[in-house]
Amino acid sequence: MMVNPTAPAVEEPVAAGPAVPGPAVELIEVTRHFGEVKAVDAVSLSVQPGEFFAMLGPSGSGKTTCLRLIAGFEQLDSGRIQIAGAEATALPPYERDVNTVFQDYALFPHMTVGDNIGYSLMLKKVPKSERLRRVADMLDLVRLSGLENRKPTQLSGGQRQRVALARALINQPKLLLLDEPLGALDLNLRQQMQLELKAIQRQLGITFIFVTHDQEEALTMSDRLAVFNQGKIEQMGHPRDVYERPATEFVANFVGVSNWISGQLAQTLTGTAQTWMVRPEKIQMTAPRLAVPEGMCSVLGQIDTIQYLGISTRYDVGLRPGEAGQKESFTVVQQNGQDLPWTTGELVQLCWQREHMVAF
Ligand code: ATP
């Protein structure tokens, strides 16, 4: 477990939501196994009303199964699920006040955009005039007004995603589950939709539970996130806490890039043989110099590779064997200014503040 007494606690307010008493969703020791596979293994979590909650983890870590358990598409082996304070463990999907948006959108191809969005109102026999008004409101919300007579095949990926969102929101659910809804979009569109989705969620105050394997997406969009690994939650918290103070080595490696300090190097730098981690952007790279400022750690190395990333540059720096006691390298990320000051093979000094190290 992480121990870093010098790091300040990072707390951010949870988004304000409608006044519903208690959590929007609560999972208590929820388990779902498929034969030998522990897809979801005694998971407990609590999502607050109006919160944007992300489930993050690698492929196969149990995120989708967890979401399907909340929706009622999957049966639990043990544990309990509560939705808006009421027992939902045994309820079928249609009796839960929950809607789901899937990665493939699952639109009806033969229906128009307007009919896709208004389909559930049609099933409920909502009068046509009210149905059309509510569809128009939804089209407005997702910025698709004027496209209501198109078929899904006549839309772009981002537009189809918005139709799926409008269709899920038209019933005004208290809780919306989203399973990798932006997975099929290219990077630019994905980033644009991330902003739009977040803005819509804020505007409506609905609780969102969002599954993704993209750590940047989870960090930028969520109020809080849970990091899944092999059916269990490794850490749950605000994005900045999870990134700055990862609780386990798995979280440190999955969320962002980590430089590890252990053994001889840790002994030299900190006086303990503990394992430590420091993030690439916390490291300053300078020409070798002797004086190390008070409160800083420092190692010497040689630039092995340089990756130009546009907004920043990533350097892999091999540490001098005498420094690490073995061959090790650090990753350093620097914002780009006018020009790139470094070339491959250069000798450099890496410095960082001791308080930026996280101990494990
Ligand atoms: P991805 O990001 O790839 O969708 P995930 O984190 O959502 O992954 P799940 O889909 O929840 O992971 O799967 C968790 C584990 O459970 C995996 O090992 C998967 O193969 C297994 N699994 C999921 N559904 C079933 C099923 N119906 N039958 C058997 N095994 C399943």
Side-chain angles (χ1 to χ4, degrees):
M1 287 295 285
M2 185 276 316
V3 195
N4 186 7
T6 54
V10 184
E11 280 299 325
E12 283 176 4
V14 169
V20 178
V25 179
E26 187 147 28
L27 269 56
I28 303 148
E29 294 281 312
V30 167
T31 291
R32 177 68 166 120
H33 294 177
F34 297 106
E36 295 291 294
V37 179
K38 296 177 176 176
V40 175
D41 198 18
V43 162
S44 295
L45 62 85
S46 179
V47 179
Q48 299 308 311
E51 204 175 12
F52 197 124
F53 187 88
M55 293 180 175
L56 172 69
S59 183
S61 57
K63 313 174 297 286
T64 296
T65 305
C66 206
L67 204 74
R68 289 172 57 80
L69 286 164
I70 297 170
F73 299 139
E74 200 72 65
Q75 295 299 310
L76 324 82
D77 293 329
S78 61
R80 285 167 51 213
I81 295 179
Q82 296 195 331
I83 297 176
E87 195 60 39
T89 312
L91 289 183
Y94 54 86
E95 283 183 23
R96 303 183 185 203
D97 192 3
V98 171
N99 265 345
T100 310
V101 177
F102 299 99
Q103 180 174 0
D104 60 5
Y105 316 138
L107 300 178
F108 300 120
H110 58 285
M111 283 188 194
T112 64
V113 165
D115 286 347
N116 262 286
I117 295 174
Y119 183 70
S120 63
L121 300 186
M122 213 151 63
L123 288 184
K124 288 185 187 165
K125 302 208 170 15
V126 172
K128 189 170 180 188
S129 58
E130 186 189 336
R131 199 172 76 222
L132 292 179
R133 182 183 56 74
R134 283 170 65 180
V135 168
D137 284 350
M138 283 297 128
L139 285 164
D140 196 32
L141 180 76
V142 298
R143 298 194 298 110
L144 286 179
S145 299
L147 300 188
E148 51 269 42
N149 293 323
R150 294 231 190 133
K151 298 277 177 63
T153 49
Q154 298 169 312
L155 298 176
S156 72
Q159 289 169 333
R160 278 202 286 273
Q161 201 279 339
R162 284 185 224 158
V163 175
L165 189 63
R167 190 180 59 175
L169 290 172
I170 200 162
N171 282 317
Q172 301 166 331
K174 289 197 189 68
L175 176 62
L176 190 65
L177 309 178
L178 303 108
D179 192 358
E180 301 255 6
L182 309 180
L185 308 180
D186 67 45
L187 186 62
N188 274 343
L189 192 52
R190 192 178 173 117
Q191 286 172 339
Q192 182 195 332
M193 287 305 302
Q194 286 172 358
L195 291 175
E196 288 186 18
L197 208 55
K198 180 95 184 161
I200 289 172
Q201 188 261 345
R202 285 268 183 266
Q203 189 180 336
L204 300 180
I206 294 175
T207 312
F208 273 31
I209 302 183
F210 187 96
V211 161
T212 180
H213 62 266
D214 181 333
Q215 44 113 359
E216 208 171 294
E217 189 162 280
L219 290 179
T220 54
M221 294 183 79
S222 69
D223 296 312
R224 276 192 316 137
L225 64 138
V227 183
F228 278 71
N229 181 27
Q230 298 188 339
K232 287 187 177 294
I233 293 178
E234 293 251 344
Q235 185 172 7
M236 203 155 23
H238 299 295
R240 201 186 300 173
D241 268 344
V242 171
Y243 182 78
E244 300 278 346
R245 302 192 289 149
T248 65
E249 295 189 21
F250 174 84
V251 174
N253 283 324
F254 189 72
V255 183
V257 174
S258 299
N259 292 306
W260 294 100
I261 301 161
S262 60
Q264 176 65 47
L265 182 59
Q267 188 71 47
T268 310
L269 292 175
T270 69
T272 69
Q274 220 172 340
T275 297
W276 301 79
M277 186 278 291
V278 63
R279 295 291 192 192
E281 71 281 3
K282 306 286 191 209
I283 299 177
Q284 297 162 19
M285 193 159 70
T286 62
R289 61 181 181 208
L290 291 178
V292 178
E294 182 68 26
M296 305 276 286
C297 291
S298 152
V299 291
L300 294 170
Q302 187 170 22
I303 297 178
D304 283 337
T305 55
I306 299 177
Q307 260 182 306
Y308 178 72
L309 304 172
I311 199 165
S312 60
T313 301
R314 175 186 162 130
Y315 301 89
D316 285 314
V317 178
L319 303 191
R320 292 206 324 201
E323 298 274 347
Q326 63 199 61
K327 175 132 182 60
E328 283 187 44
S329 71
F330 267 25
T331 299
V332 180
V333 174
Q334 291 197 330
Q335 292 291 309
N336 286 334
Q338 294 293 321
D339 34 46
L340 292 180
W342 304 106
T343 52
T344 311
E346 262 186 285
L347 294 175
V348 289
Q349 182 162 3
L350 307 181
C351 285
W352 63 91
Q353 294 186 11
R354 283 191 71 137
E355 68 186 37
H356 286 148
M357 291 165 73
V358 179
F360 289 84

